[in-house]
Amino acid sequence: MKIEFTLNGEKKHLDVHAATRLLDVLRGHFGLIGVKEGCGEGECGACMVLINGRAMNSCMIPMGNLEGKNVITPEAFCQSERGRIIEDAFMEAGAVQCGFCTPGFIMATASLLNANPDPDEAQIREALSGNLCRCTGYTAIVRAVRIAAGKGAGAC
Amino acid sequence: MLDGYLPAKLSEALDMMAECDCIPFAGGTDLMVQHARGSGVRPCFDKTLLFVSALKELKTFDLMGKTLRIGAAVTLSELLENAATPQIFKEILRQMAAAPTRHMATLAGNICNASPAGDTLPYLYAMDAEVILQSRNETRVLPVADFITAPKRTQRKNDELLTGIRIPAAEFNVESYRKLGQRKGMSLTKASFLGLASTANGRIEDIRIALGSVAPHIVRSRKIESKLTGKNIKDIPGILQELQKDYSALIRPIDDARSTAAYRKQVSLRLIRDFLINCMLKKIP
Ligand SMILES: Cc1cc2nc3c(=O)[nH]c(=O)nc-3n(C[C@H](O)[C@H](O)[C@H](O)COP(=O)(O)OP(=O)(O)OC[C@H]3O[C@@H](n4cnc5c(N)ncnc54)[C@H](O)[C@@H]3O)c2cc1C
Ligand code: FES
Ligand code: FES
């Protein structure tokens, strides 16, 4: 199937099998390895990207569903002003240990702050409930999101 | 065989459904898991995938009189964001999966997947919701409760697409939804309970009770509900045992990886009791 979509601001044309997972295209074809494969079934958030501004798991997206969509990966997002604020907040809060989950958490944070620039703790925990972290115990991650929101990551 | 097809409009999708054997593909949150083949590997489907989630005709959401009409491509997140979605339905949707899954998953997919653990189903059964099925030459409307015939089985014909869901409005002053599961991001419901009632001057005018994941189908009994309609709330304790016995006969759970039959049965009966006693008695003037 011929698919046209925008990846990190650039138009892409691909001829791929319709069921090919976006995750495999990003990692295998484009070498964008910020997305990780954890569970492969939508439960861990390690493969998360932004599609039209919303966090989605790329292991669950077949290329056939991507026509005309705007995909942002952790690599490109962290080059942006907002991305840098969120990344710095994760470091400041000590929210990163092994780092496997971190790109996904940053995508989920971006998606939350797009919709709600000033979330309370319950809203943060709800928005991050699709991401698993085996190291930090989440408290530092919640703090990171608050720091990022406080520094205006939702506004710019 | 074509691997996938992206119709530009609904009529084109219905032509495809008529002419070749296709799998309608919406958010894919059930399909991708069901057809997964492991890490780094493309899922395997034995038919052409017909991608319906971008069809404008299926993205509609409106109120016709008092009936909520939801297009088949509307996502759970879009339902949560819409002011017309009733609060109790939002409560149910909020407890389904996590935001990234809800951004993709559709109500139509939850219905067509026809799992007894589908979390929107108790609500749709309780509200007497209907599905609209369209093929190239025909449109038919069926109650959700008739559309689903058995676990994983529906009355959808090979050439039909589910194009919309209709939920007739009803007002309730007692609403209770309880979902028992493990971690929230996951799909595993052990048992769920929905109770809706409207009362006036201490009398029950309308009452609907539906349970999920505790039988091969959603449990809702108009016969038992009719024993309660018209009754005074203060008389419920007197007939509680009889009602629990009636429900007990309908609750036929299984043992599986998520829970045991004995637990599911006991907890269901307690949730019924909690609703009929604790929630309802508060409404005695
Ligand atoms: C991490 C995770 C958590 C989840 N949590 C929950 C949960 O808490 N509760 C719950 O109930 N479910 C849960 N699910 C299951 C799933 O997300 C829901 O069932 C969802 O509503 C399915 O919608 P979809 O659009 O993704 O369906 P799809 O996967 O696209 O399709 C599901 C089925 O419906 C058919 N179909 C879809 N649209 C149409 C149409 N228009 N016409 C005809 N047939 C159609 C498909 O052919 C397929 O058989 C979860 C899934 C994941 C991956
Ligand atoms: S790998 Fe996609 S959600 Fe876990
Ligand atoms: S930091 Fe290791 S999994 Fe989150």
Side-chain angles (χ1 to χ4, degrees), chain A residues 21 23 35-48 56-60 100 130-132, chain B residues 100-101:
Chain A
R21 306 180 308 169
L23 170 64
V35 286
K36 317 289 180 200
E37 177 152 19
C39 63
E41 46 187 54
E43 287 178 351
C44 76
C47 64
M48 222 174 259
M56 296 185 199
N57 292 318
S58 63
C59 69
M60 305 290 287
F100 187 84
N131 297 74
L132 285 180
Chain B
T101 304

Side-chain angles (χ1 to χ4, degrees), chain A residues 118-137:
Chain A
D118 187 23
D120 62 26
E121 176 162 347
Q123 289 165 330
I124 295 173
R125 287 190 181 273
E126 153 63 31
L128 301 183
S129 67
N131 297 74
L132 285 180
C133 175
R134 286 292 182 231
C135 306
T136 65

Side-chain angles (χ1 to χ4, degrees), chain B residues 54-114:
Chain B
L55 286 173
K56 275 199 208 64
E57 296 94 327
L58 306 186
K59 274 285 181 195
T60 54
F61 186 124
D62 59 24
L63 268 170
M64 185 183 63
K66 286 191 151 189
T67 299
L68 204 55
R69 298 192 303 180
I70 301 166
V74 173
T75 64
L76 303 184
S77 294
E78 287 161 350
L79 286 173
L80 270 167
E81 286 155 14
N82 200 300
T85 308
Q87 280 311 318
I88 185 76
F89 191 23
K90 286 192 180 178
E91 180 60 38
I92 294 166
L93 295 167
R94 257 194 297 274
Q95 293 193 39
M96 286 177 70
T101 304
R102 294 196 301 256
H103 290 157
M104 296 163 53
T106 62
L107 179 57
N110 201 239
I111 298 170
C112 291
N113 193 49

Side-chain angles (χ1 to χ4, degrees), chain B residues 29-246:
Chain B
T29 61
D30 279 315
L31 284 170
M32 290 297 272
V33 174
Q34 286 157 4
H35 296 265
R37 287 191 297 173
S39 172
V41 188
R42 162 163 54 79
C44 181
F45 295 91
D46 56 2
K47 293 177 188 169
T48 302
L49 300 179
L50 182 72
F51 295 100
V52 299
S53 65
L55 286 173
K56 275 199 208 64
E57 296 94 327
L58 306 186
K59 274 285 181 195
T60 54
F61 186 124
D62 59 24
L63 268 170
M64 185 183 63
K66 286 191 151 189
T67 299
L68 204 55
R69 298 192 303 180
I70 301 166
V74 173
T75 64
L76 303 184
S77 294
E78 287 161 350
L79 286 173
L80 270 167
E81 286 155 14
N82 200 300
T85 308
Q87 280 311 318
I88 185 76
F89 191 23
K90 286 192 180 178
E91 180 60 38
I92 294 166
L93 295 167
R94 257 194 297 274
Q95 293 193 39
M96 286 177 70
T101 304
R102 294 196 301 256
H103 290 157
M104 296 163 53
T106 62
L107 179 57
N110 201 239
I111 298 170
C112 291
N113 193 49
S115 158
D119 282 326
T120 65
L121 299 181
Y123 180 72
L124 298 173
Y125 277 59
M127 297 303 288
D128 301 321
E130 296 169 326
V131 291
I132 301 160
L133 296 162
Q134 261 179 271
S135 63
R136 190 151 65 181
N137 304 318
E138 195 192 1
T139 299
R140 45 185 198 131
V141 179
L142 283 178
V144 175
D146 294 343
F147 176 63
I148 297 174
T149 52
K152 303 275 151 198
R153 292 273 175 278
T154 69
Q155 289 205 44
R156 186 177 69 82
K157 295 182 199 146
N158 263 343
D159 63 344
E160 283 178 326
L161 272 182
L162 194 159
T163 53
I165 298 103
R166 287 187 196 159
I167 308 179
E171 296 280 319
F172 305 102
N173 62 340
V174 194
E175 297 180 330
S176 169
Y177 177 67
R178 305 282 288 274
K179 167 174 167 174
L180 304 176
Q182 276 149 347
R183 195 174 69 82
K184 205 194 139 273
M186 309 210 298
S187 50
L188 314 174
T189 299
K190 292 181 183 184
S192 67
F193 172 88
L194 177 70
L196 303 168
S198 77
T199 69
N201 308 318
R203 259 189 66 234
I204 301 170
E205 296 190 324
D206 184 4
I207 186 159
R208 308 169 189 204
I209 289 174
L211 296 111
S213 296
V214 296
H217 48 82
I218 301 300
V219 171
R220 182 184 173 199
S221 164
R222 282 160 205 277
K223 204 165 138 221
I224 308 177
E225 288 169 10
S226 70
K227 289 189 181 177
L228 282 156
T229 317
K231 282 255 174 345
N232 277 316
I233 299 172
K234 62 177 169 32
D235 296 333
I236 296 177
I239 55 168
L240 182 69
Q241 259 197 333
E242 177 194 332
L243 296 170
Q244 281 189 310
K245 220 175 115 214
D246 290 346

